[in-house]
């Protein structure tokens, strides 16, 4: 294992830069050559490599996004596209690859490893916290802090005008962000894909608060694969209770940006080191994660295909 490459793919997440930094510096520590691949799998196909040294990753620990850029590649989904990527890896004499991303990234990594034989280790970088084999994914903590801050600001307006605010947060198939931020923001209700709540049940909950003299409310809604679905929900509530002054805020990509929290910086650094040490130890086709504060390695297949349940205790709270 002499040459290792690292790339970021899929949606960006706070902490990706910190992970790249850790991969590079751990690689140099173990006397390996480390190469960055610009623009994810698209850059891998194009051979867009750059050699990274210790100073190449200076002053990026605190920055959001990914300086290596990220891109979704339709060509990489095809066997022909992956053949081009394998050709570029062999041309650069890459012995191991570290990929930072979510389920789509790991699906591609699994196929690439099968077809090339090159050992690949993944670092879970997604704000949704929806991958099995790790308690937390990069960006989740930062995203929930961002949402909690936004809810605090929206609450000021809600209280000033006696309004009902619906706040839509990210979470394609996961209510993790909604549950955590719902607790932190004091939401009267939290709607997530894992738990059904009808419009009628929500209205009853809102009515109950009204009877107690509650004049403003916040409802957190996970997008659940349909960004903007909250507008339909808000319209349904408005039709049933026209006396409510209903407003909708969709936080969208605001949740992806910003400087990573201390938690995400530490998590990224631990996982970056774990990825390099895993490759050196002969591991492949696995995701590095942290469970019960210990480094673990989980197969890509398990990480992708095993449903990660919602935190039942947190939802109960």
């Amino acid at each position: 294992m002499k040459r290792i490459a690292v790339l970021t793919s899929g949606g960006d997440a706070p902490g990706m830069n910190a992970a790249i930094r850790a991969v590079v510096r751990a690689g140099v520590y173990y006397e390996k050559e480390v190469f960055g691949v610009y623009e994810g799998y698209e850059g891998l196909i194009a051979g867009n490599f750059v050699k990274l040294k210790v100073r190449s990753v200076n002053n990026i620990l605190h920055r959001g996004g990914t300086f290596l850029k990220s891109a979704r590649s339709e060509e990489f989904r095809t066997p022909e596209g992956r053949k081009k990527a394998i050709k570029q890896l062999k041309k650069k004499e890459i012995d191991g690859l570290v990929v930072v991303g979510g389920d789509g990234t790991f699906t591609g990594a699994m196929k690439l490893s099968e077809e090339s034989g090159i050992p690949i280790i993944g670092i879970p970088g997604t704000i949704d916290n929806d991958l099995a084999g790790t308690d937390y994914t990069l960006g989740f903590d930062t995203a929930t802090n961002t949402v909690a801050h936004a809810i605090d600001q929206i609450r000021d307006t809600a209280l000033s005008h006696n309004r009902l605010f619906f706040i839509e947060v990210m979470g394609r198939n996961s209510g993790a962000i909604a549950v955590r931020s719902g607790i932190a923001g004091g939401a009267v209700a939290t709607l997530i894909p894992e738990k059904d709540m009808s419009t009628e049940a929500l209205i009853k909950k809102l009515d109950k608060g009204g009877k107690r003299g509650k004049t403003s409310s916040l409802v957190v809604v996970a997008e659940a694969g349909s960004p903007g679905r909250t507008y339909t929900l808000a319209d349904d509530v408005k039709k049933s209770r026209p006396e409510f002054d209903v407003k909708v805020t969709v936080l969208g990509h605001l949740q992806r940006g910003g400087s990573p929290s201390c938690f995400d910086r530490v998590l990224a650094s631990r996982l970056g080191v774990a990825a390099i040490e895993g490759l050196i130890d002969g591991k492949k086709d696995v995701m590095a994660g942290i469970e019960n504060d210990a480094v673990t390695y989980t197969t890509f297949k398990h990480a992708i295909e095993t449903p990660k349940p919602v935190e039942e205790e947190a939802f109960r709270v």
Side-chain angles (χ1 to χ4, degrees), residues 255-275:
Q255 298 157 84
R256 287 195 185 279
S259 180
S261 64
C262 175
F263 182 91
D264 276 329
R265 296 182 200 190
V266 173
L267 178 63
S269 299
R270 292 184 69 185
L271 293 178
V273 172

Side-chain angles (χ1 to χ4, degrees), residues 78-97:
T78 67
E80 294 74 22
R82 291 192 294 275
K83 283 181 181 178
K84 292 180 183 178
I86 293 167
K87 184 177 180 181
Q88 296 291 355
L89 286 166
K90 290 182 176 179
K91 182 179 178 181
K92 279 289 182 182
E93 298 180 340
I94 300 299
D95 303 306
L97 178 65

Side-chain angles (χ1 to χ4, degrees), residues 236-250:
D236 291 341
V237 171
K238 183 68 175 176
K239 289 173 184 175
S240 178
R241 294 293 186 274
E243 67 272 18
F244 288 166
D245 185 5
V246 180
K247 301 295 180 184
V248 176
T249 297
V250 177

